[in-house]
Amino acid sequence: MLATARLQLQHLPAHLTRDSWPGQLTILEEALSHLDTLDARWHQTRAQLPEGAGPGSEAYVDALDEHHAECWSYLDDWACHGRVILDIQAATRRAPSQPKRPQLPALTSRRSGHGARGR
């Protein structure tokens, strides 16, 4: 969605955009990157928990609480700025569609065909 919004923004006429949109997309991209990193770290942490420290155990709950605390600010970025993706999509729908280039007929060589002479 982020890549699509970034591409759509590049093709929108200036009068349909807001100056804040590129920065908001950057915030979302950075937040997503951090969340991906934290998710990978959570999987490592979970794998390193002592045997028997599954969901509901004190060790598991403490580790999960720490993980959630680390994620919170990045999720907040998405809560605050995620709407920009919908705004860009709406602007894209309002933008006049660009006319399609007409299809040109295929060119054939003058030298092809019966009785054609090379010139």
Side-chain angles (χ1 to χ4, degrees), residues 96-116:
S97 61
Q98 297 181 359
K100 294 184 179 180
R101 294 183 180 165
Q103 288 284 38
L104 299 176
L107 298 177
T108 57
S109 171
R110 296 179 126 190
R111 295 183 184 180
S112 66
H114 298 286

Side-chain angles (χ1 to χ4, degrees), residues 6 11 18 20 24 34-35 37 40 46 50 58 60 63-65 78 81 88 90 94 97-99 102-104 113 118:
R6 180 74 69 185
H11 293 95
R18 293 195 180 138
S20 63
Q24 288 177 292
H34 287 288
L35 287 168
T37 300
R46 200 171 63 190
E58 186 175 342
Y60 187 95
L64 186 58
D65 284 347
W78 271 86
H81 301 287
I88 291 170
R94 285 192 307 271
S97 61
Q98 297 181 359
Q103 288 284 38
L104 299 176

Side-chain angles (χ1 to χ4, degrees), residues 9-109:
L9 184 57
Q10 291 173 3
H11 293 95
L12 280 172
H15 72 279
L16 292 177
T17 66
R18 293 195 180 138
D19 291 339
S20 63
W21 288 354
Q24 288 177 292
L25 288 177
T26 299
I27 289 168
L28 294 176
E29 290 162 347
E30 290 173 358
L32 183 59
S33 176
H34 287 288
L35 287 168
D36 285 342
T37 300
L38 291 171
D39 184 56
R41 191 181 319 156
W42 165 245
H43 288 282
Q44 290 174 342
T45 300
R46 200 171 63 190
Q48 294 172 354
L49 288 173
E51 192 170 321
S57 70
E58 186 175 342
Y60 187 95
V61 170
D62 288 347
L64 186 58
D65 284 347
E66 184 177 328
H67 170 68
H68 287 162
E70 291 174 327
C71 293
W72 189 250
S73 68
Y74 304 114
L75 294 171
D76 188 55
D77 287 342
W78 271 86
C80 292
H81 301 287
R83 174 87 189 164
V84 71
I85 293 172
L86 300 174
D87 293 341
I88 291 170
Q89 175 62 28
T92 299
R93 289 183 180 200
R94 285 192 307 271
S97 61
Q98 297 181 359
K100 294 184 179 180
R101 294 183 180 165
Q103 288 284 38
L104 299 176
L107 298 177
T108 57
S109 171

